[in-house]
Amino acid sequence: MPELPEVEVTRLSFADRIAGARIERVRVGKPLRWPLGLQAESLAGRTVRGVRRRGKYLLVDLDEGLLLMHLGMSGSLSFADTQPEPGAHDHFDLVTSRGTLRLNDPRRFGAVVYAPGEDAQESVKLLGRLGVEPLTDAFDAAAFHAGLKRRTAPVKQVLLAGDLVVGVGNIYASEALFLAGIRPTSRASRISRPRADRLHAAVRDVLARAVAKGGSTLRDFSNARGESGYFQLEAMVYDRAGEPCRICATPVKTIRQGQRATFFCPHCQKP
DNA sequence: AAAAGCCCCTGGATGC
DNA sequence: TGCATCCAGGGGCTTT
């Protein structure tokens, strides 16, 4: 579920409220993707400084160390004064003086990992290979084109890989390529500078607009206040196989790339 | 180094 | 209704 917009919307929905909170206790449910990395009880007494985002990871900064949180495919966070009795898929509760942060994740591809610091092995391992943040000035059109140049894989796969630019998942890769008029199967290395510039702008544009709309709620995404997103209503191609292109009415086509569905308009998007 | 496949896990939709 | 199959917002790891 969660790509950059959903993770950022989640962050915005509780970061201010949890900042300054004192951790009272931690409850862990079933194992997630990786072990927490320390005794849960030893988090008690620490203070939450704030919440940052790097790619699709949330970084919950503590006065000592930090928690790296990832929502995987089906994870969502909620932050409330009180939480109901934990359900079968509630796998992590951070009980604080300001409320309880709860991770619900049916598929358990998500994770909560403690790292003693920013340069700790856990942080470096998980964050070290990540590409540039698309919504910052560090996302440079010339560098983006140069990065595409050295990859022979289909451009959609390169967007998803996350080592060139982070945060673009399966929905927004298809959407950005549509906006840029580029066929998802095109080899990244063959994309011209003008087209790379269009893709660069499209990535920024689609992610920023998705954040503004609260993300995409396809099945069950909601932010930490329990609110749904609405960007799925503006999707041009994602999950619209066979439906008319919103620009030219040609039926949207779906193919599989790397075991993931890709959607595109065969008329508007050129190889 | 980069690309391609394989998994992790659960639930919902679909088909017989 | 029951059961099998396929598919799903990710991404690390192993194999080519």
Side-chain angles (χ1 to χ4, degrees), chain A residues 82 117 129 151 171 224:
Chain A
T82 60
R129 299 276 172 183
R151 305 288 285 268
I171 297 176

Side-chain angles (χ1 to χ4, degrees), chain A residues 156-194:
Chain A
K156 193 229 182 184
Q157 313 267 71
V158 173
L159 288 177
L160 285 184
D163 49 358
L164 187 55
V165 57
V166 293
V168 183
N170 211 38
I171 297 176
Y172 301 109
S174 283
E175 292 298 309
L177 287 163
F178 175 86
L179 295 178
I182 297 170
R183 202 68 72 86
T185 47
S186 299
R187 283 188 182 284
S189 58
R190 314 243 312 235
I191 293 177
S192 67
R193 176 65 198 271

Side-chain angles (χ1 to χ4, degrees), chain A residues 145-156:
Chain A
H145 181 236
L148 293 176
K149 272 286 180 206
R150 53 184 105 90
R151 305 288 285 268
T152 59
V155 59
K156 193 229 182 184

Side-chain angles (χ1 to χ4, degrees), chain A residues 5-6 45 56 72 83 85 101 104 108 124 129 132 144 157 169 172 186-187 190 196 206 232 253 269:
Chain A
E6 290 74 32
K56 297 171 190 171
Q83 296 277 9
E85 277 302 295
L101 182 67
N104 179 277
R108 289 189 283 128
V124 173
R129 299 276 172 183
V132 66
F144 180 58
Q157 313 267 71
Y172 301 109
S186 299
R187 283 188 182 284
R190 314 243 312 235
V206 73
Q232 72 281 3
K253 200 173 168 190
Q269 296 175 255

Side-chain angles (χ1 to χ4, degrees), chain A residues 35-185:
Chain A
L36 180 58
L38 89 171
Q39 293 291 345
E41 309 84 68
S42 58
L43 289 172
R46 301 194 197 194
T47 300
V48 177
R49 293 294 188 206
V51 187
R52 292 175 292 149
R53 179 189 55 75
R54 178 75 177 96
K56 297 171 190 171
Y57 287 89
L58 286 174
L59 283 59
V60 179
D61 286 308
L62 309 177
D63 51 351
E64 183 192 337
L66 69 157
L67 292 171
L68 303 169
M69 308 188 80
H70 198 289
L71 303 180
M73 286 278 269
S74 57
S76 63
L77 290 173
S78 61
F79 184 66
D81 292 345
T82 60
Q83 296 277 9
E85 277 302 295
H89 303 308
D90 295 324
H91 303 304
F92 184 85
D93 281 352
L94 193 71
V95 184
T96 80
S97 55
R98 302 265 174 91
T100 297
L101 182 67
R102 167 171 288 180
L103 174 66
N104 179 277
D105 186 3
R107 290 176 75 179
R108 289 189 283 128
F109 289 175
V112 183
V113 176
Y114 175 78
E118 200 66 31
D119 51 0
Q121 192 184 334
E122 293 82 357
S123 301
V124 173
K125 192 173 157 196
L126 293 175
L127 308 177
R129 299 276 172 183
L130 295 184
V132 66
E133 284 291 333
L135 297 182
T136 68
D137 290 342
F139 187 39
D140 175 74
F144 180 58
H145 181 236
L148 293 176
K149 272 286 180 206
R150 53 184 105 90
R151 305 288 285 268
T152 59
V155 59
K156 193 229 182 184
Q157 313 267 71
V158 173
L159 288 177
L160 285 184
D163 49 358
L164 187 55
V165 57
V166 293
V168 183
N170 211 38
I171 297 176
Y172 301 109
S174 283
E175 292 298 309
L177 287 163
F178 175 86
L179 295 178
I182 297 170
R183 202 68 72 86
T185 47

